[in-house]
Amino acid sequence: MPMYQPSSRREVDSQVLDLETAVKDGVLGGGGGGCGIIATGFGSEKLDLKLMIEELEPMDVPMVFICPISLEPMHDPVTLCTGQTYERSNILKWFSLGHCTCPTTMQELWDDSMTPNKTLQQLIHSWFSQKYLAMKKRSEDVQGRVKEILENLKKIKGQARVQALKELRQVVQVHGTAKKTVVENGGIGLISSLLGPFTTHAVGCEVIGVLVNLNLDLNSMSDLLQPAKISLMVDILNEGSIETKINCTRLIGMLIEGTDFASQNVASLSLLVGLLRLVKDKKHPNGVVAGLNLLKTICSHEPVRNSFVNVGAVPQLVELIPGLNNECLELVLHILELLSSTPEGRLALKDCPSTIPNVVKLLMKASENCTQLALSILWSICKFAPEECASLAVDAGLAAKLLLVIQSGCNPVLKQRSAELLKLCSLNYTTTIFISKCKLTRTIQ
């Protein structure tokens, strides 16, 4: 059988898929026949299929529209002699690689013809056109409603304002068009202005719920970083529902991330205490992640660290370690490592009886990043109080874990730090006693 060449492939001009059957079988969801030309509101014009697919949000597309090679909707479907249909460009690429089989069935082709499947092409175009125009109609409705809500917010007060904000929050959570409309119509400034000294808790919760879903510009963020507004957000965080707590946490994180914020204005004791309560609420994992991320950002600013230590953060974070997943573990360890850079933080870590046992267990257990952070914390406190902490660490199995790190395929920097920590831990022991303390056999088991 001759090798297939895309340029010489024969095409048969016919319709392979029966339109009436396809509609009856629900390909178009029971709608009318697909003609490929539909009314768009601007006269009868054919919509560009590629553009429609790009603009539509991800959705479940009928499998018959999907090319088996690319797993993407077909624009120009052609059918082989085996009855299988593919996107023209994809099947031509298959043949150009020297294949003379059907990709789906792997049958050898007995006919070199490709039949343009015009009926399927019309069905695909009609289906996407219906979805596209419905999306455009929804977008227009959403835009109109958002503009109406923004106008009403300038006039209404009390419970009516709360209800309008609640509706706006629900809309911007779902529709990208709504977010864009709020921004383009000056909605961010209007909504931000509702946060003031006389703002009720209900209004504040809804305002924050809206703002956290928007793309804030630098001017808007600068306005929201005013001490009075940050203070209000912190109060709402401490008093609100779990959804409100998470929204406040994320909004404050958005405002301070990547900026040289005034730590005395943002990192108040009230905020730190509120975030500690949030991260300890294991019933709501989203809140734990949001809270830990914000604490990590805040603690990256050195002046804040002692304040965080002083509110009792270290023992509370250490006690969280055993029940956390890898993502949260790395965040907690990162925060504790930052706190260990201060004398107060090292003292708090040393004085917490769970620090050494909990952190030693993480070596070679979770991830290499967790191992690196754990080593850094252990090095800080063992160096800070070698006589007291080194023996506790060895009794907790540190020496054996360090030997495993040294013998593993870890980063050379980790191995070097492990060797240094192992040497530090051995200073208080004779060689024989220290070797017996390593318990290497038990650790491997």
Side-chain angles (χ1 to χ4, degrees):
M1 190 172 186
M3 188 72 70
Y4 284 90
Q5 298 295 331
S7 59
S8 62
R9 185 160 298 279
R10 294 189 296 110
E11 293 190 0
V12 178
D13 189 10
S14 65
Q15 295 186 342
V16 177
L17 182 66
D18 178 63
L19 177 60
E20 183 178 347
T21 302
V23 174
K24 188 186 299 181
D25 289 344
V27 174
L28 286 176
C35 60
I37 309 290
I38 61 176
T40 65
F42 303 98
S44 293
E45 75 179 69
K46 189 165 184 175
L47 298 170
D48 182 81
L49 181 58
K50 184 177 181 181
L51 178 65
M52 289 191 290
I53 293 174
E54 288 176 353
E55 290 191 15
L56 280 168
E57 296 177 356
M59 64 178 71
D60 291 330
V61 177
M63 285 303 298
V64 70
F65 296 167
I66 302 296
C67 174
I69 297 175
S70 65
L71 301 181
E72 297 289 338
M74 292 181 283
H75 300 77
D76 186 9
V78 293
T79 303
L80 304 184
C81 60
T82 58
Q84 300 296 322
T85 302
Y86 304 93
E87 172 63 30
R88 181 191 297 274
S89 60
N90 295 331
I91 194 63
L92 288 177
K93 184 176 180 180
W94 171 262
F95 292 137
S96 71
L97 296 174
H99 300 292
C100 55
T101 55
C102 174
T104 301
T105 65
M106 295 311 292
Q107 289 175 278
E108 189 172 345
L109 300 177
W110 60 88
D111 187 346
D112 65 353
S113 61
M114 291 191 308
T115 306
N117 199 328
K118 293 183 179 179
T119 303
L120 178 58
Q121 187 179 38
Q122 291 174 349
L123 283 170
I124 293 171
H125 192 280
S126 294
W127 190 86
F128 276 105
S129 296
Q130 291 176 12
K131 300 293 182 184
Y132 181 77
L133 291 179
M135 179 200 74
K136 285 295 184 184
K137 179 66 167 61
R138 286 195 303 271
S139 296
E140 291 171 1
D141 293 343
V142 166
Q143 288 174 355
R145 183 56 187 151
V146 167
K147 291 178 181 178
E148 185 179 346
I149 293 173
L150 292 176
E151 283 300 315
N152 288 338
L153 285 174
K154 298 175 183 178
K155 299 173 286 187
I156 57 178
K157 295 182 179 180
Q159 191 59 31
R161 175 177 286 178
V162 174
Q163 290 303 318
L165 286 166
K166 184 176 182 179
E167 183 182 353
L168 184 60
R169 172 176 59 82
Q170 293 169 342
V171 172
V172 296
Q173 283 176 337
V174 178
H175 298 285
T177 307
K179 299 177 186 179
K180 186 177 179 182
T181 304
V182 171
V183 174
E184 291 178 347
N185 288 271
I188 294 179
L190 171 63
I191 296 165
S192 299
S193 69
L194 300 179
L195 288 177
F198 302 107
T199 300
T200 64
H201 178 78
V203 169
C205 290
E206 297 302 339
V207 166
I208 289 168
V210 174
L211 292 174
V212 77
N213 286 286
L214 302 177
N215 295 320
L216 305 176
D217 58 30
L218 291 176
N219 289 335
S220 301
M221 290 193 286
S222 178
D223 175 62
L224 289 167
L225 276 171
Q226 293 179 48
K229 292 190 176 182
I230 289 292
S231 178
L232 179 60
M233 292 180 208
V234 173
D235 290 342
I236 292 172
L237 183 151
N238 281 303
E239 299 169 8
S241 65
I242 185 62
E243 182 183 5
T244 298
K245 291 178 188 291
I246 294 172
N247 284 339
C248 287
T249 302
R250 288 176 174 165
L251 180 58
I252 295 172
M254 288 166 55
L255 296 177
I256 68 175
E257 190 171 10
T259 63
D260 186 18
F261 66 91
S263 57
Q264 68 274 16
N265 293 337
V266 175
S268 64
L269 294 180
S270 181
L271 172 59
L272 297 175
V273 170
L275 291 175
L276 275 175
R277 288 199 202 101
L278 183 60
V279 301
K280 289 165 63 179
D281 186 356
K282 295 183 180 180
K283 293 180 182 178
H284 301 95
N286 289 342
V288 176
V289 174
L292 289 174
N293 272 308
L294 182 51
L295 285 173
K296 176 185 171 183
T297 302
I298 291 174
C299 288
S300 66
H301 295 260
E302 190 172 351
V304 179
R305 294 172 194 168
N306 285 343
S307 298
F308 197 36
V309 172
N310 290 337
V311 298
V314 169
Q316 295 184 61
L317 292 176
V318 168
E319 294 300 333
L320 286 176
I321 288 176
L324 297 176
N325 58 31
N326 281 8
E327 180 186 10
C328 293
L329 265 180
E330 288 194 15
L331 289 170
V332 165
L333 290 175
H334 197 112
I335 295 166
L336 291 175
E337 185 196 34
L338 290 170
L339 298 180
S340 72
S341 66
T342 68
E344 293 82 358
R346 289 191 288 272
L347 180 61
L349 284 164
K350 177 188 79 69
D351 290 344
C352 176
S354 299
T355 298
I356 290 175
N358 284 354
V359 176
V360 166
K361 289 176 184 177
L362 297 178
L363 295 175
M364 298 295 290
K365 184 178 180 181
S367 66
E368 186 169 319
N369 199 27
C370 282
T371 296
Q372 181 176 346
L373 292 167
L375 274 175
S376 179
I377 294 167
L378 290 167
W379 172 262
S380 294
I381 56 179
C382 288
K383 190 77 173 174
F384 178 71
E387 292 186 1
E388 181 180 353
C389 295
S391 58
L392 289 174
V394 171
D395 290 339
L398 175 62
K401 286 290 190 83
L402 293 176
L403 287 171
L404 288 179
V405 174
I406 292 169
Q407 297 173 52
S408 72
C410 283
N411 188 316
V413 175
L414 289 183
K415 293 185 178 185
Q416 180 63 30
R417 175 52 61 91
S418 297
E420 292 170 356
L421 186 53
L422 189 63
K423 182 178 180 181
L424 179 65
C425 291
S426 69
L427 295 179
N428 295 327
Y429 300 93
T430 64
T431 302
T432 304
I433 295 176
F434 185 69
I435 290 175
S436 68
K437 290 277 188 181
C438 287
K439 304 174 185 176
L440 186 57
T441 303
R442 192 175 75 179
T443 300
I444 291 175
Q445 290 174 346

